[in-house]
């Protein structure tokens, strides 16, 4: 039995898949097995590539039909014999010490179930070249000193802390992290994170690379993202207790973003049960901005108000998991 099972997920990425595989084969930690999941049953390329490599640690699993991103990603989170599980997306790639450092760090923190590392952004150019943007997901000193994040971070109101492409989890609880099949691709990280046991562990060192590709499975529909943001914010603010000072700081943070996100707080207050209290802390300028926003984007307002009706299963999952994490935090920290 290996120490770590790697899931490499691919769909018609002939130009990128070899790079991801090379990064896996270049790992200094070698006690792994890999399932390469091909989500296009008509595409022979992944099997041909693996046959050419000839490494018995890698097995190709061809899906009988196109599962789509969410169902495919859920395959990662199931019981396996190996103590650790990690996910490698076909457009991303790892630094050579990724597995070595992730396994060693989780072994040092036996009570932590989920860990992830910092990632470097690379931009795909029109001619196929890749440019290092010199930006990372987290602005941190390149350090091996891990940071523990307890439940209820303000970043989780609008999204996720961790990154799929630089994550490792203990397999013993992995089956609990599947998300509803209706979850849009761009919502998977933040949704799955609501099911993680906290604290979770972050390694500031850049151990993985995130590809900003010219095409993506993520939706470019603003209405969809508005609905998802409403559900994230509403489920969090409905359950996580915040002091008046924290709520005021939240409004200030939403105002300060380059693209103001105060509308999300209004949408959450209007659309999600138990969130009307947020409106008490909105300034006059916030109301004026929101009124102008609604006049300019009436369809977006309507969609936000229908967010729960549009994604009922996703809302139930977020609501239940957020409530569970909040209860656990209260029992642990009081």
């Amino acid at each position: 039995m290996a120490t770590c099972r790697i899931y490499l997920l691919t769909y018609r990425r002939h130009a990128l898949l070899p790079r991801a595989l090379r990064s896996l084969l270049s790992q200094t930690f070698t006690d792994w097995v890999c399932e390469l999941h091909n989500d296009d049953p008509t595409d022979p390329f992944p099997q041909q590539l693996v046959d050419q490599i000839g490494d018995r640690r890698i097995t190709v699993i061809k899906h009988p039909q196109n599962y789509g991103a969410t169902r495919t990603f859920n395959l990662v989170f199931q019981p396996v014999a190996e103590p650790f599980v990690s996910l490698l997306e076909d457009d991303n790639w790892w630094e050579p010490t990724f597995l070595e450092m992730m396994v060693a760090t989780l072994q040092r923190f036996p009570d932590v179930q989920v860990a992830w590392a910092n990632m470097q952004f690379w931009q795909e150019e029109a001619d196929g070249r890749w440019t290092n943007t010199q930006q990372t997901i987290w602005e941190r000193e390149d350090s091996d000193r891990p940071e523990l994040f307890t439940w209820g971070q303000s970043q989780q109101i609008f999204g996720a802390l961790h990154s799929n492409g630089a994550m490792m989890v203990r397999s013993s609880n992995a089956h609990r992290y599947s998300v509803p099949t209706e979850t849009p691709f761009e919502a998977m990280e933040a949704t799955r994170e609501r099911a993680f046991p906290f604290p979770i562990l972050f390694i500031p060192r850049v151990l993985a690379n995130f590809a900003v590709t010219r095409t993506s499975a993520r939706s470019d529909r603003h209405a969809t993202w508005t609905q998802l943001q409403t559900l994230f914010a509403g489920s969090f603010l409905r359950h996580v207790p915040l002091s008046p000072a924290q709520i005021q700081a939240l409004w200030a943070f939403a105002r300060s973003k380059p693209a103001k996100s105060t509308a999300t707080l209004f949408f959450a207050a209007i659309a999600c049960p138990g969130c009307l209290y947020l409106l008490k802390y909105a300034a006059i300028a916030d109301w004026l901005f929101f009124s102008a926003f609604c006049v300019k984007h009436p369809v977006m307002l309507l969609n936000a108000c229908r967010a729960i009706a549009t994604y009922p299963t996703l809302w139930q999952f977020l609501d239940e998991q957020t409530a569970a994490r909040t209860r656990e935090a209260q029992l642990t920290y009081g």
Side-chain angles (χ1 to χ4, degrees):
M1 180 184 71
T3 300
C4 186
R5 179 169 293 267
I6 312 301
Y7 290 87
L8 203 171
L9 311 181
T10 191
Y11 180 75
R12 298 180 183 175
R13 287 280 178 75
H14 296 184
L16 301 180
L17 178 60
R19 180 178 63 185
L21 268 172
R22 284 196 301 271
S23 79
L24 175 58
L25 293 167
S26 298
Q27 292 297 301
T28 55
F29 183 90
T30 60
D31 188 22
W32 52 263
V33 293
C34 174
E35 290 184 18
L36 195 165
H37 283 257
N38 178 12
D39 198 34
D40 181 2
T42 67
D43 182 9
F45 178 78
Q47 185 67 63
Q48 293 170 352
L49 179 62
V50 169
D51 289 344
Q52 185 180 23
I53 291 170
D55 192 314
R56 293 185 177 181
R57 293 174 296 178
I58 306 172
T59 302
V60 177
I61 297 178
K62 183 173 67 173
H63 296 173
Q65 63 189 69
N66 173 233
Y67 288 161
T70 302
R71 186 176 172 189
T72 298
F73 274 64
N74 273 345
L75 295 174
V76 176
F77 303 98
Q78 56 186 316
V80 294
E82 295 76 21
F84 300 108
V85 169
S86 199
L87 164 63
L88 178 58
E89 297 163 273
D90 57 5
D91 54 344
N92 296 339
W93 67 100
W94 290 337
E95 293 299 307
T97 58
F98 172 78
L99 288 178
E100 179 182 350
M101 291 194 65
M102 297 303 291
V103 169
T105 302
L106 279 170
Q107 288 174 337
R108 285 171 49 204
F109 291 83
D111 295 331
V112 171
Q113 301 294 311
V114 178
W116 83 103
N118 211 349
M119 300 186 79
Q120 180 84 46
F121 285 111
W122 290 75
Q123 177 68 54
E124 183 184 19
E125 307 295 350
D127 61 2
R129 293 182 300 108
W130 289 87
T131 301
N132 188 341
T133 67
Q134 305 300 323
Q135 295 180 325
T136 56
I137 292 181
W138 289 79
E139 294 183 3
R140 291 288 197 276
E141 181 181 348
D142 199 19
S143 168
D144 297 338
R145 186 163 60 185
E147 299 178 26
L148 283 171
F149 284 79
T150 55
W151 167 252
Q153 302 295 317
S154 59
Q155 299 99 309
Q156 295 175 296
I157 297 173
F158 302 104
L161 299 170
H162 83 288
S163 301
N164 279 330
M167 174 183 66
M168 182 173 285
V169 304
R170 295 186 191 276
S171 63
S172 55
N173 286 315
H175 62 285
R176 301 179 182 177
Y177 310 149
S178 292
V179 301
T181 55
E182 72 173 25
T183 307
F185 180 76
E186 58 266 48
M188 280 196 293
E189 281 176 327
T191 301
R192 182 168 289 114
E193 190 169 286
R194 300 292 177 98
F196 289 164
F198 280 72
I200 57 178
L201 190 67
F202 171 61
I203 299 173
R205 183 172 297 283
V206 174
L207 297 177
N209 299 281
F210 183 87
V212 184
T213 55
R214 293 174 62 83
T215 59
S216 172
R218 297 175 187 270
S219 170
D220 60 359
R221 293 174 299 168
H222 293 300
T224 298
W225 185 238
T226 297
Q227 289 181 318
L228 297 174
Q229 289 275 280
T230 300
L231 297 180
F232 294 148
S235 57
F236 186 97
L237 295 167
R238 167 177 161 85
H239 293 290
V240 178
L242 299 177
S243 68
Q246 289 173 314
I247 302 171
Q248 290 168 347
L250 172 61
W251 278 98
F253 171 74
R255 292 182 201 112
S256 69
K257 296 177 72 173
K260 281 187 180 182
S261 56
T262 51
T264 299
L265 299 180
F266 278 101
F267 290 150
I270 296 168
C272 302
C275 292
L276 272 175
Y277 72 92
L278 290 169
L279 301 182
K280 177 182 176 182
Y281 299 90
I284 294 176
D286 298 326
W287 282 100
L288 292 174
F289 174 82
F290 183 64
S291 299
F293 181 92
C294 292
V295 170
K296 188 175 181 180
H297 305 285
V299 176
M300 199 170 293
L301 170 63
L302 178 62
N303 285 331
C305 291
R306 297 186 67 253
I308 293 177
T310 303
Y311 296 104
T313 307
L314 175 59
W315 166 255
Q316 183 179 5
F317 181 91
L318 289 169
D319 190 55
E320 291 177 353
Q321 295 296 330
T322 304
R325 301 293 82 74
T326 303
R327 288 193 298 269
E328 291 167 359
Q330 290 170 339
L331 288 172
T332 302
Y333 305 108

